[in-house]
Each structure stands twice: as C-alpha cells, then as structure tokens.
Amino acid sequence: MRFVIYIRDPMTQQNELVRRIVSLFAILVPASAILMFVIALFFSKSVTAPMKNLATQAKKLADGDSSALSPARGSDEISELTNALIYLSESTRESSEKAISEKTKTETILQNMSDGVMAFDTNGNLSHINPEAMRLLNRKFVDDITFNKFFKEINADITIESLQYMPSEDATERQVTIGEH
C-alpha cells in the first residue's frame, strides 16, 4: 500500500521571517558601514593629527628653531620619532657650535700669523687668505685667485688635480718663494 500525503501550507510564517531578515540586513549593512566610516575617521585623525604636528615642528626645526620640538610621552612610533628628532636637533646644534668654535680658533691663528697663508677647497677655489699673504702678494682683491691660476702665475708646476690624485708614496715637499724677502 502506498500513501501520498499532500500538505498545503501558505508559508506565511516563513515568508514573514525572510522579509524581517531582509529588512534587518537593509538597515544593518548601511548602519555598520556608517559606523565603520566614523571609526576609521576617528583613527585616521588620531594618527594624522600628531603626524601633521610633528611635520610642523620639524619644519620649524629646519628653519633653526631648536625649541620647536617638545619631548613626547608615550611609546608609540610617533613619540619615538619625535624624541629621535629632538636628539638629532641637539646633536646637530652641538656639532655646529663645535665647528664654529674650531673655525673661529683657526681663523684667529691664521689672521695673526707672520707668514702668508692661503687655503683652497678641493675645487681649487680660494677659501681663506690671511692679511700677511695679501700684503706679500700686494693684492687688495682676491676674488679671481684659484689654485691652478695662482700656481701657474708663480711658475710652480702643480695643479689641484695633481695633488688630489697623487699617491701618498709619491708625495714631495717643496718650498716656493715669491719675491725677495
């Protein structure tokens, strides 16, 4: 014997449940997207605001305002970067002060020497000449002096290039006398 059972159900309960789920998703998806946008905006502001502040302070530091940076409290990367910039600023300031001090000492020594002294940079441009050298050369203006030009004028067979590329074992010492003294 075979039986067939036929059930007729309008499925109103199931249809109502599906409709509620769809309407719930229609509300929750945009609401969660808005909430995520607000959270992302908050977090981006919490990262970009300190970075903008640090960039502003770094620009002031680059312009010479060594008091522009204030020590950061915290252990995040931005605090570490701020403290590293402060350390860099202090080290640079100390190095600059030492260099200025040494330059002043050297210039004072050179200015008060009884010998004429001329110094040239690695490009052969005159970087320093003391008053005695100007007197010995009988020159008031020295803007046109370069290493190669000067030593050619006094018939010394030497160029800045030959000095720069001379092996140390080939180095020689010689004295060039200009005029009679």
Side-chain angles (χ1 to χ4, degrees):
M1 230 191 309
R2 291 190 166 176
F3 295 98
V4 174
I5 299 175
Y6 177 72
I7 301 173
R8 185 173 177 175
D9 184 8
M11 294 187 47
T12 54
Q13 277 184 323
Q14 289 84 356
N15 287 340
E16 181 64 25
L17 181 63
V18 169
R19 189 184 60 73
R20 283 185 180 174
I21 290 173
V22 168
S23 64
L24 188 62
F25 272 119
I27 293 170
L28 287 178
V29 169
S32 63
I34 291 170
L35 181 64
M36 293 306 291
F37 177 76
V38 170
I39 291 171
L41 188 63
F42 170 75
F43 280 121
S44 70
K45 293 284 184 188
S46 70
V47 170
T48 57
M51 289 299 285
K52 285 181 181 179
N53 186 26
L54 184 59
T56 301
Q57 290 176 348
K59 286 177 185 173
K60 288 180 183 177
L61 180 65
D63 291 337
D65 182 5
S66 60
S67 65
L69 293 173
S70 54
R73 295 178 186 97
S75 60
D76 61 342
E77 291 84 2
I78 296 173
S79 298
E80 289 179 18
L81 180 60
T82 301
N83 291 332
L85 278 175
I86 291 170
Y87 177 75
L88 175 67
S89 169
E90 291 170 358
S91 297
T92 303
R93 182 185 48 78
E94 289 173 7
S95 296
S96 178
E97 287 173 359
K98 285 179 185 176
I100 290 169
S101 174
E102 289 300 316
K103 181 181 179 201
T104 303
K105 288 178 194 175
T106 304
E107 286 179 352
T108 301
I109 291 168
L110 290 173
Q111 292 297 329
N112 293 304
M113 287 182 72
S114 60
D115 294 330
V117 177
M118 298 170 64
F120 297 88
D121 64 16
T122 56
N123 294 322
N125 299 312
L126 183 67
S127 60
H128 182 81
I129 184 168
N130 71 349
E132 186 62 18
M134 289 183 70
R135 186 188 71 73
L136 290 171
L137 294 174
N138 196 24
R139 294 186 77 152
K140 293 185 185 213
F141 302 103
V142 293
D143 295 340
D144 64 331
I145 296 178
T146 64
F147 186 93
N148 291 345
K149 182 178 175 185
F150 175 75
F151 283 97
K152 185 176 182 180
E153 285 176 9
I154 64 169
N155 296 321
D157 185 28
I158 190 166
T159 64
I160 191 74
E161 294 80 13
S162 65
L163 281 178
Q164 289 173 334
Y165 300 110
M166 179 186 297
S168 59
E169 63 270 1
D170 293 343
T172 59
E173 186 176 316
R174 64 181 151 165
Q175 182 174 343
V176 177
T177 305
I178 302 172
E180 298 190 33
H181 205 260

